[in-house]
């Protein structure tokens, strides 16, 4: 118990000493000393302290030999501190200020990387995801031979998957809502048609997605449900369309776990189209 108290007291003294030293550095007018202390804080992983000093230094050191590194270090400190949106702005500022600078390639990459880390889960607004995609594409255009090219390309694939997943969630939501708030009998806009359109557009926009089968299942099921709930004058045409969709699904995905569903739909469609 006594050792624990001594250790806690020693830690408190050390913390107080470090805080006192930082305050002294922060208040001093020796910019070079501040710069070296900020570098030391960054190296030790004390990113909040580094940020505090560097935010002042990027203005005070403007035009000096330390200005470029101060700005890049500030961006990296914000990134390491997980303030990704602020980091992306500082990386952008660095690249616009020093397009041929020592850290230009890394800064341009980290604009996209910072935005990538800020992207929300797929069900939410994906504006940040689109911005991240654009940033990584700009990086690849500017630095086609970069050693970071494979990582940037993988990030693009990951971000596109997130956009695809958002479309899949949207299509699934329309399907789950079914006839609610729709007008199937009138043949106008309704949730099944919205599901079909959303899924078809996603397949056009992302032809190489690994979620093609999931979209195809929703299209097939929506066309069948749409046919079932249609008015008499539209039933025959829609059941024929649903039957064709089922055959196309089986041809493209012969081993799908939804094949039995497609075959069941075909039988029901034929009962209508044969009459």
């Amino acid at each position: 118990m006594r050792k624990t108290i001594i250790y806690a007291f020693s830690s408190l003294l050390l913390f107080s000493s470090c805080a006192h030293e930082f305050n002294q550095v922060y208040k001093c007018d020796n910019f070079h000393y501040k710069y070296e202390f900020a570098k030391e804080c960054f190296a030790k992983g004390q990113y909040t302290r580094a940020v505090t000093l560097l935010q002042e230094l990027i203005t005070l050191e403007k035009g000096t030999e330390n200005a470029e590194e101060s700005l890049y270090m500030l961006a990296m400190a914000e990134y390491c501190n997980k303030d990704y949106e602020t980091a992306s702005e500082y990386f952008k500022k660095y690249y616009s200020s020093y397009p041929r600078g020592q850290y230009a390639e890394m800064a341009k990459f980290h604009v996209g990387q910072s935005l990538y880390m800020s992207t929300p889960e797929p069900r939410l607004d994906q504006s940040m995801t689109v911005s991240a995609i654009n940033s990584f594409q700009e990086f690849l255009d500017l630095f086609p031979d970069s050693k970071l090219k494979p990582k940037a390309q993988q990030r693009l694939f990951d971000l596109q998957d997130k956009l695809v997943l958002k479309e899949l969630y949207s299509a699934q939501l329309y399907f789950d809502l079914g006839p609610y708030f729709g007008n199937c009998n009138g043949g106008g806009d309704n949730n099944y048609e919205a599901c079909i359109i959303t899924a078809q557009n996603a397949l056009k926009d992302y032809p190489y997605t690994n979620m093609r089968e999931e979209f195809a299942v929703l299209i097939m099921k929506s066309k069948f449900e749409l046919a079932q709930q249609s008015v008499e004058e539209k039933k025959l045409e829609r059941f024929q369309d649903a039957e064709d969709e089922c055959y196309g699904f089986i041809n493209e995905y012969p081993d799908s776990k939804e094949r039995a569903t497609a075959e069941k739909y075909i039988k029901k469609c034929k009962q209508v189209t044969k009459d």
Side-chain angles (χ1 to χ4, degrees):
M1 180 68 178
R2 185 179 178 185
K3 287 183 177 179
T4 303
I5 294 173
I6 293 173
Y7 176 76
F9 183 68
S10 299
S11 298
L12 181 61
L13 286 176
L14 180 62
F15 176 79
S16 299
S17 175
C18 290
H20 178 69
E21 182 184 11
F22 175 78
N23 288 333
Q24 282 188 320
V25 173
Y26 180 71
K27 293 176 182 178
C28 81
D29 295 327
N30 188 330
F31 302 146
H32 180 73
Y33 183 50
K34 276 188 178 182
Y35 170 72
E36 293 299 328
F37 193 85
K39 289 175 68 174
E40 184 179 339
C41 289
F42 182 86
K44 290 180 177 179
Q46 298 171 346
Y47 301 119
T48 301
R49 290 184 173 184
V51 166
T52 302
L53 295 173
L54 289 165
Q55 283 176 332
E56 180 186 19
L57 285 170
I58 60 170
T59 301
L60 299 174
E61 295 278 15
K62 191 172 183 179
T64 70
E65 60 182 13
N66 296 330
E68 179 182 347
E69 187 174 28
S70 294
L71 182 53
Y72 181 73
M73 191 163 37
L74 174 58
M76 284 302 303
E78 293 284 19
Y79 179 84
C80 293
N81 224 13
K82 298 184 179 180
D83 188 349
Y84 298 118
E85 291 188 45
T86 302
S88 70
E89 292 304 314
Y90 280 128
F91 283 123
K92 287 178 187 176
K93 184 176 180 179
Y94 175 90
Y95 189 80
S96 64
S97 301
Y98 308 100
R100 297 184 181 180
Q102 181 180 355
Y103 308 105
E105 182 179 329
M106 291 296 294
K108 194 62 178 174
F109 174 83
H110 274 88
V111 172
Q113 179 66 15
S114 299
L115 293 171
Y116 172 84
M117 297 299 291
S118 302
T119 56
E121 63 100 3
R123 296 182 193 277
L124 301 177
D125 178 70
Q126 294 301 306
S127 300
M128 194 71 75
T129 302
V130 174
S131 295
I133 287 173
N134 292 337
S135 292
F136 278 121
Q137 192 57 63
E138 286 179 13
F139 171 78
L140 291 171
D141 292 341
L142 288 166
F143 303 98
D145 301 318
S146 172
K147 63 180 181 181
L148 292 169
K149 179 178 179 178
K151 192 170 184 179
Q153 289 175 324
Q154 185 58 54
R155 289 287 185 262
L156 281 175
F157 295 145
D158 294 341
L159 291 164
Q160 286 175 349
D161 283 347
K162 186 170 281 194
L163 294 181
V164 175
L165 197 53
K166 181 174 177 60
E167 294 304 305
L168 184 60
Y169 285 151
S170 296
Q172 184 67 58
L173 178 61
Y174 284 128
F175 180 81
D176 292 342
L177 287 172
Y180 295 104
F181 313 112
N183 182 23
C184 285
N185 290 332
D189 291 340
N190 60 78
N191 295 314
Y192 290 126
E193 286 182 332
C195 175
I196 293 166
I197 292 169
T198 300
Q200 288 177 336
N201 286 340
L203 290 174
K204 289 177 184 176
D205 293 338
Y206 308 101
Y208 302 111
T209 176
N210 57 7
M211 302 178 204
R212 288 187 63 84
E213 184 177 343
E214 288 88 336
F215 284 112
V217 168
L218 287 172
I219 293 170
M220 176 181 69
K221 288 183 176 180
S222 293
K223 285 192 174 184
F224 180 78
E225 293 295 337
L226 189 62
Q228 285 219 115
Q229 299 182 44
S230 294
V231 293
E232 286 301 320
E233 59 265 27
K234 293 192 176 184
K235 269 192 175 180
L236 181 60
E237 178 185 351
R238 285 180 171 174
F239 270 112
Q240 288 174 335
D241 186 31
E243 185 179 345
D244 291 342
E245 191 69 38
C246 291
Y247 277 121
F249 178 82
I250 291 172
N251 288 335
E252 190 168 357
Y253 307 102
D255 300 320
S256 173
K257 63 180 181 180
E258 293 287 352
R259 177 172 181 144
T261 302
E263 291 173 343
K264 179 182 71 175
Y265 285 170
I266 288 171
K267 288 181 182 179
K268 291 185 177 181
C269 289
K270 286 187 179 297
Q271 290 173 359
V272 176
T273 56
K274 283 183 177 180
D275 293 340

